[in-house]
Amino acid sequence: MQQPSYTSNEPPPRSELWWDRVPSLKIVRPPKGPFSPQVDERCLTFCSQSITGRIHGHDPWCRSLCLRRVFLHEVTRVLSHHQSQSVHQLPGRPPRIETTDVVETAPVHHPLPPEGQRYSGWLHALLGRTLHGEPDPASGASEPVGMDDLRYWKAGWYLWWSRSRWAAQERMDLMRRSLDSQSEWQRLKERRNDEWAHGAAYDESRFVEDANRIDDLASMPPFPDVSHESILLPIPDTLPLGEQFGNVLAPTWKVLDVVRESVQSGAQTELAHRLCEKAFTDEPIKLLRVCCSMIWENMGFGEDDDGSDPTDPRKKP
């Protein structure tokens, strides 16, 4: 009897074997690079609205915070990939051939959004350093003035903060886009706004049909600029927290060193013996009586007879 032919592109189904039911461990290595499932951005958005704000159609009060990690494969392009072989000869052993992968890359310049271009460098000034190729904050150059001063995405961590609900909505949309696609989206917005500013007609079918009926959008550009309500900061790879904590705790270490030296030299033991000797004399009682008499005098009850020790040298005859 002839077996029916299997025409599917997938491999034919395999019959279950008895050792398939035996519990086993599987080591799964997730892919790296653009196919990695690793999280590269997390956002937290909080909004609230008041009764009067809702009645008058005001925007809600919103605050958004995002932490973005840019990986190396997002800002580099692979030029070539080949394998290199090298021969290692050890005395008394046959030669050993080692194969290594050689990858040649080139940087890809994706400009930062407007909120990143207007970054003034106050965070790096606070930390006392400049990273990511930023200019010195003390030089006074706070905003780029030309194409040569554009800032670009680089591998590392970035902090994004905004108080605009429009910027938060756009940020959520940009989470599904790569850096290249984000740059293209920014160029599209600038081109549409430039056309609107020069009085050019744009296709209103791209917008909601009743937008002008609900809100007064006739005097607004297609993409309002809300970047002034947002900020994008590069986070240094290594924060100088250890040095700062060291400066704060430096006096503590000095005090501990003095205490340790006093314990090792026996000064603490000698002080404890002297305290015990003083505790069994009449000096603590005399000191207590003097303190009580002074308190009694300050309260105004010891003008005639305060009951103090007559041997007190401070008592006038």
Side-chain angles (χ1 to χ4, degrees), residues 157-173:
W157 290 91
Y158 288 84
L159 178 67
W160 182 85
W161 177 89
S162 179
R163 60 182 181 181
S164 171
R165 64 109 170 178
W166 298 105
Q169 294 177 203
E170 184 183 25
R171 192 67 190 177
M172 302 307 163
D173 294 336

Side-chain angles (χ1 to χ4, degrees), residues 36-89:
S36 174
Q38 188 174 358
V39 177
D40 65 352
E41 185 172 7
R42 298 183 186 274
C43 292
L44 179 64
T45 301
F46 176 80
C47 295
S48 64
Q49 180 62 287
S50 62
I51 298 177
T52 179
R54 189 183 303 274
I55 293 177
H56 294 88
H58 295 165
D59 285 341
W61 183 92
C62 291
R63 292 296 183 269
S64 301
L65 181 68
C66 292
L67 199 61
R68 172 77 158 93
R69 183 181 180 184
V70 177
F71 289 88
L72 190 61
H73 69 271
E74 298 182 83
V75 292
T76 56
R77 181 177 65 254
V78 178
L79 300 179
S80 63
H81 182 200
H82 61 276
Q83 293 182 344
S84 176
Q85 293 183 351
S86 59
V87 180
H88 293 269
Q89 180 68 46

Side-chain angles (χ1 to χ4, degrees), residues 201-246:
Y202 53 88
D203 187 7
E204 295 191 8
S205 62
R206 292 172 299 184
F207 303 97
V208 182
E209 295 181 357
D210 57 346
N212 291 330
R213 178 175 57 85
I214 299 177
D215 297 321
D216 185 13
L217 301 179
S219 61
M220 294 179 59
F223 299 98
D225 184 14
V226 294
S227 60
H228 62 279
E229 298 184 0
S230 307
I231 187 172
L232 179 65
L233 299 175
I235 300 179
D237 298 331
T238 56
L239 295 175
L241 298 179
E243 181 179 355
Q244 295 179 1
F245 280 120

Side-chain angles (χ1 to χ4, degrees), residues 44-279:
L44 179 64
T45 301
F46 176 80
C47 295
S48 64
Q49 180 62 287
S50 62
I51 298 177
T52 179
R54 189 183 303 274
I55 293 177
H56 294 88
H58 295 165
D59 285 341
W61 183 92
C62 291
R63 292 296 183 269
S64 301
L65 181 68
C66 292
L67 199 61
R68 172 77 158 93
R69 183 181 180 184
V70 177
F71 289 88
L72 190 61
H73 69 271
E74 298 182 83
V75 292
T76 56
R77 181 177 65 254
V78 178
L79 300 179
S80 63
H81 182 200
H82 61 276
Q83 293 182 344
S84 176
Q85 293 183 351
S86 59
V87 180
H88 293 269
Q89 180 68 46
L90 298 177
R93 294 186 179 182
R96 181 165 52 91
I97 300 176
E98 290 186 357
T99 303
T100 57
D101 293 335
V102 180
V103 181
E104 297 182 3
T105 60
V108 179
H109 298 293
H110 298 298
L112 291 173
E115 56 266 28
Q117 299 295 340
R118 286 195 288 265
Y119 158 62
S120 60
W122 64 270
L123 178 63
H124 289 170
L126 180 63
L127 297 176
R129 60 169 63 184
T130 57
L131 296 177
H132 290 280
E134 298 290 345
D136 187 3
S139 62
S142 60
E143 295 186 4
V145 296
M147 294 297 295
D148 296 336
D149 297 325
L150 283 178
R151 298 184 176 94
Y152 301 95
W153 290 100
K154 295 187 178 181
W157 290 91
Y158 288 84
L159 178 67
W160 182 85
W161 177 89
S162 179
R163 60 182 181 181
S164 171
R165 64 109 170 178
W166 298 105
Q169 294 177 203
E170 184 183 25
R171 192 67 190 177
M172 302 307 163
D173 294 336
L174 293 179
M175 292 180 71
R176 58 185 296 269
R177 297 176 178 266
S178 62
L179 294 182
D180 189 17
S181 180
Q182 292 181 21
S183 301
E184 183 64 27
W185 169 252
Q186 183 62 35
R187 289 191 292 267
L188 173 64
K189 293 196 303 180
E190 294 175 355
R191 185 171 64 252
R192 295 279 175 80
N193 288 340
D194 186 66
E195 294 175 357
W196 174 85
H198 289 81
Y202 53 88
D203 187 7
E204 295 191 8
S205 62
R206 292 172 299 184
F207 303 97
V208 182
E209 295 181 357
D210 57 346
N212 291 330
R213 178 175 57 85
I214 299 177
D215 297 321
D216 185 13
L217 301 179
S219 61
M220 294 179 59
F223 299 98
D225 184 14
V226 294
S227 60
H228 62 279
E229 298 184 0
S230 307
I231 187 172
L232 179 65
L233 299 175
I235 300 179
D237 298 331
T238 56
L239 295 175
L241 298 179
E243 181 179 355
Q244 295 179 1
F245 280 120
N247 296 334
V248 173
L249 299 178
T252 304
W253 301 123
K254 292 182 180 179
V255 172
L256 293 178
D257 290 339
V258 173
V259 173
R260 178 177 55 83
E261 292 176 359
S262 63
V263 172
Q264 292 178 352
S265 63
Q268 296 289 342
T269 305
E270 181 181 357
L271 177 62
H273 287 304
R274 294 178 61 183
L275 290 176
C276 291
E277 293 176 358
K278 289 290 184 181

